[in-house]
Amino acid sequence: MSLPVEAERLDLFTKVVHTVFKRWTALQLAIANANFPSGHRTQELAEHTLEFFSQHKTEVYPDEIAENLKDFFDEIFDVELEDGSPEQIGKSLVRMYREVVIDGNLEEARKLVQSAVATSSLAHSKVEKDDDSGCTKATPRTSRRRRRV
């Protein structure tokens, strides 16, 4: 059973937001360097951002998203971003919202989400060099369970 068109678009845009935030270096660095448990912060930021788009629909502007992102970093991580990334993220998300949700152009968004999945599976691979050919190959890592003693 397929989703109604609007629900499908919103679902894809939600995946885009999560993908963009997972790839955002400043956010990942802030989480990694936080002095408190902060793993859920990406989800929290995504929810706030999606809610903002839901409330304002076609009246969302990149500078508003950028300001919200800067405020989040300031309040949660006590970090002031000066690298221009909130503005880039704001432009990207507003553009993708318009393309996906409003115009129904799903191709670029699907490619973005799928490339993130491909990148994620490579991150969970181990790289080995084949001594005979000089080629490098990636193979999936097997999860190791620790034995209880």
Side-chain angles (χ1 to χ4, degrees), residues 53-91:
F53 276 100
S54 175
Q55 288 176 355
H56 300 285
K57 308 225 183 272
T58 59
E59 299 298 317
V60 177
Y61 300 98
D63 60 323
E64 294 173 319
I65 297 297
E67 284 304 312
N68 287 342
L69 297 173
K70 288 177 186 177
D71 290 346
F72 182 85
F73 270 77
D74 185 42
E75 292 171 21
I76 301 299
F77 299 110
D78 196 25
V79 170
E80 188 174 315
L81 293 175
E82 298 176 351
D83 64 348
S85 64
E87 290 79 11
Q88 290 175 315
I89 298 292
K91 286 178 187 175

Side-chain angles (χ1 to χ4, degrees), residues 11-141:
D11 182 58
L12 182 57
F13 182 68
T14 298
K15 290 176 183 174
V16 165
V17 170
H18 286 279
T19 299
V20 168
F21 288 162
K22 285 179 185 173
R23 290 181 164 188
W24 188 11
T25 304
L27 179 58
Q28 298 312 314
L29 286 171
I31 289 170
N33 292 304
N35 293 326
F36 53 89
S38 57
H40 66 286
R41 296 302 183 175
T42 302
Q43 177 69 28
E44 181 182 333
L45 181 58
E47 288 172 4
H48 288 296
T49 302
L50 290 165
E51 181 64 28
F52 191 82
F53 276 100
S54 175
Q55 288 176 355
H56 300 285
K57 308 225 183 272
T58 59
E59 299 298 317
V60 177
Y61 300 98
D63 60 323
E64 294 173 319
I65 297 297
E67 284 304 312
N68 287 342
L69 297 173
K70 288 177 186 177
D71 290 346
F72 182 85
F73 270 77
D74 185 42
E75 292 171 21
I76 301 299
F77 299 110
D78 196 25
V79 170
E80 188 174 315
L81 293 175
E82 298 176 351
D83 64 348
S85 64
E87 290 79 11
Q88 290 175 315
I89 298 292
K91 286 178 187 175
S92 294
L93 291 180
V94 169
R95 181 178 57 81
M96 292 302 287
Y97 181 80
R98 289 182 180 146
E99 283 183 21
V100 173
V101 178
I102 296 170
D103 298 336
N105 299 329
L106 311 180
E107 187 176 337
E108 185 180 346
R110 285 183 177 141
K111 285 179 184 177
L112 175 70
V113 171
Q114 287 180 335
S115 72
V117 170
T119 302
S120 176
S121 33
L122 274 178
H124 296 291
S125 300
K126 66 180 181 179
V127 177
E128 299 173 354
K129 188 167 186 172
D130 185 353
D131 292 331
D132 296 334
S133 67
C135 295
T136 303
K137 64 180 180 178
T139 56
R141 290 185 183 160

